[in-house]
Amino acid sequence: MSQPARKFDAAFAQAFETLLRWRRDVRHFAPQAVAEQDMADLLALAALAPSVGNAQPWRFVRVRTPALREALAAHVDDQNALAARGYADQARHDAYRALKLHGLREAPEILAVFCDEQARAGHRLGIATMPEMLRYSCVAAIQTLWLAARIRGIGLGWVSILDPQVVTAMLDVPPRWSLIALLCIGYPDQPSETPELEQRGWQSREPLADRLFER
Amino acid sequence: MSQPARKFDAAFAQAFETLLRWRRDVRHFAPQAVAEQDMADLLALAALAPSVGNAQPWRFVRVRTPALREALAAHVDDQNALAARGYADQARHDAYRALKLHGLREAPEILAVFCDEQARAGHRLGIATMPEMLRYSCVAAIQTLWLAARIRGIGLGWVSILDPQVVTAMLDVPPRWSLIALLCIGYPDQPSETPELEQRGWQSREPLADRLFER
């Protein structure tokens, strides 16, 4: 069942590296809508991600109801205020409060990604001892969608300053689904190769050598 | 701080889709070694993945000791036999036992990926209510590495049929690190565009429409 493997050239490898360097977590969105075909393409590409046992446990929920979007934004604002209180150091607290951490009110598209913890597909292969592999499969789909979006000039922001149980209840999904991500999707208002958290002095890239080990 | 955004053309978008379609979970490896420069490049590209608060919580451990590799393979074989007992249906059990689920003895490179659950970088931004975001950041790095490897003709197999605590102890890492993945890396022996689990009748792709919802 093997086939001649598809090859990729050095120019593609170089452009892929550029793509990785230009993938950003976006919180500032332009008002321009995302075309329906682009949304369909992004979701189809995300579904090409690896999944444990080929379980395809991702469940994508597009938020189309304005009142629901506002409720989500208000919840994240509340959680953000709570998180700010966790910074005892005044300078760090002030830096935190100065950050814009979500574009839930401006992004043209809001997408919630859930994991079906009891996915039938895959027949539970590979999850006997690591059930989190189902959730990890959903994360691989999100990173895939993120890169596919950036190729099209579309930005994505991953919002995690929220109570997953509250958001799950708001979105009225089956109880066996767990929330992986709340995503803002749209055209970036301030494109940059430099992460916003680095621009604002929160956290820069650190040397990879500190993260490599041998045994 | 915004810059003219880097654009990607339609040919790149098409090649990226081909890349996603040709990314496979590989369990059959050719003996050919992976060049040291390729390993360095793959790890550097993985580190361009998104991470919560820019925490870069990934920790990569290359397994270079033959006895350690064999101990890992033996552990996975044991866990695999245990998992097989979970299939009460005889046909499904037999199908499971017929699958090759890891290349730990043959793959030229074994890479364990851990998450530092107490990463200093990132200053705990975005993890007050979703501490799993640190682990999800590591998964995004793995999917990035996976795609970068495939561009170079290098395959990756993610092994999850293992007890994470046992493997963590074997690899003698700090207690605050949690195991995300044990990866086999090398040149595929049987390249194919079709997932091995689909070729062998375990699980095929299902319609995306069943996984899309609106609220």
Side-chain angles (χ1 to χ4, degrees), chain A residues 45-57:
Chain A
L45 293 169
L48 295 175
S51 67
V52 63
N54 207 4
Q56 307 152 71

Side-chain angles (χ1 to χ4, degrees), chain A residues 100-171:
Chain A
K100 178 169 165 63
L101 292 172
H102 74 85
L104 286 167
R105 290 189 178 85
E106 306 86 52
E109 296 285 342
I110 305 295
L111 183 72
V113 183
F114 289 89
C115 174
D116 184 344
E117 302 278 359
Q118 295 168 34
R120 279 180 307 98
H123 306 279
R124 307 199 72 70
L125 185 143
I127 61 172
T129 53
M130 293 189 72
E132 63 268 37
M133 285 299 293
L134 289 168
R135 297 190 283 280
Y136 293 173
S137 303
C138 298
V139 174
I142 293 166
Q143 169 68 347
T144 305
L145 190 155
W146 208 331
L147 295 174
R150 182 60 192 80
I151 290 171
R152 289 157 180 76
I154 297 168
L156 182 152
W158 183 329
V159 183
S160 63
I161 305 169
L162 52 82
D163 181 328
Q165 291 193 300
V166 170
V167 171
T168 300
M170 277 183 187
L171 293 177

Side-chain angles (χ1 to χ4, degrees), chain A residues 22-94:
Chain A
W22 271 91
R23 181 218 44 78
R24 289 275 70 73
D25 190 276
V26 174
R27 299 98 188 258
H28 301 267
F29 293 93
Q32 183 187 353
V34 177
E36 200 56 35
Q37 186 61 53
D38 279 329
M39 283 301 289
D41 289 349
L42 294 182
L43 292 163
L45 293 169
L48 295 175
S51 67
V52 63
N54 207 4
Q56 307 152 71
W58 38 73
R59 304 294 180 260
F60 299 106
V61 178
R62 281 176 78 180
V63 178
R64 321 285 310 252
T65 313
L68 189 49
R69 171 199 287 262
E70 176 50 36
L72 289 166
H75 170 70
V76 171
D77 285 342
D78 290 348
Q79 293 293 314
N80 201 21
L82 283 174
R85 289 190 214 156
Y87 294 101
D89 176 76
Q90 189 65 40
R92 188 55 74 173
H93 174 274
D94 294 347

Side-chain angles (χ1 to χ4, degrees), chain A residues 3 6 56 60 64 87 122-123 126 129 144 150 160 162 171 191 193 203 206 211 213-215, chain B residues 3 6 56 60 64 87 122-123 126 129 143-144 150 160 162 171 191 193 203 206 211 213-215:
Chain A
Q3 306 163 258
R6 177 66 157 81
Q56 307 152 71
F60 299 106
R64 321 285 310 252
Y87 294 101
H123 306 279
T129 53
T144 305
R150 182 60 192 80
S160 63
L162 52 82
L171 293 177
E193 193 178 350
Q203 177 66 56
E206 294 186 338
R211 288 156 166 78
F213 304 85
E214 295 194 354
R215 289 291 184 271
Chain B
Q3 306 164 260
R6 176 67 157 80
Q56 308 153 69
F60 299 106
R64 319 288 306 254
Y87 293 101
H123 305 280
T129 54
Q143 168 68 347
T144 305
R150 183 57 192 81
S160 63
L162 52 81
L171 293 176
E193 192 178 350
Q203 176 66 56
E206 293 187 338
R211 287 155 165 77
F213 305 84
E214 295 194 354
R215 290 290 186 271

Side-chain angles (χ1 to χ4, degrees), chain B residues 108-129:
Chain B
E109 294 286 342
I110 305 294
L111 183 72
V113 183
F114 289 89
C115 174
D116 184 343
E117 302 277 359
Q118 294 168 33
R120 282 179 305 97
H123 305 280
R124 306 200 72 72
L125 185 144
I127 61 172
T129 54

Side-chain angles (χ1 to χ4, degrees), chain B residues 30-149:
Chain B
Q32 183 186 354
V34 177
E36 200 55 34
Q37 186 62 53
D38 279 329
M39 284 301 290
D41 289 350
L42 294 182
L43 292 163
L45 292 169
L48 296 174
S51 68
V52 63
N54 207 4
Q56 308 153 69
W58 38 73
R59 305 292 181 260
F60 299 106
V61 178
R62 282 177 78 180
V63 177
R64 319 288 306 254
T65 314
L68 189 48
R69 171 199 286 262
E70 175 50 35
L72 289 166
H75 171 70
V76 171
D77 285 343
D78 289 347
Q79 293 292 313
N80 202 20
L82 283 173
R85 291 189 211 155
Y87 293 101
D89 176 77
Q90 189 65 41
R92 187 55 73 175
H93 174 274
D94 294 348
Y96 183 85
R97 291 305 277 170
L99 296 170
K100 178 168 165 60
L101 291 172
H102 74 84
L104 286 166
R105 290 190 179 85
E106 306 87 50
E109 294 286 342
I110 305 294
L111 183 72
V113 183
F114 289 89
C115 174
D116 184 343
E117 302 277 359
Q118 294 168 33
R120 282 179 305 97
H123 305 280
R124 306 200 72 72
L125 185 144
I127 61 172
T129 54
M130 292 188 72
E132 62 269 36
M133 286 298 293
L134 288 169
R135 297 188 283 278
Y136 293 174
S137 304
C138 298
V139 174
I142 292 166
Q143 168 68 347
T144 305
L145 190 155
W146 208 330
L147 294 174

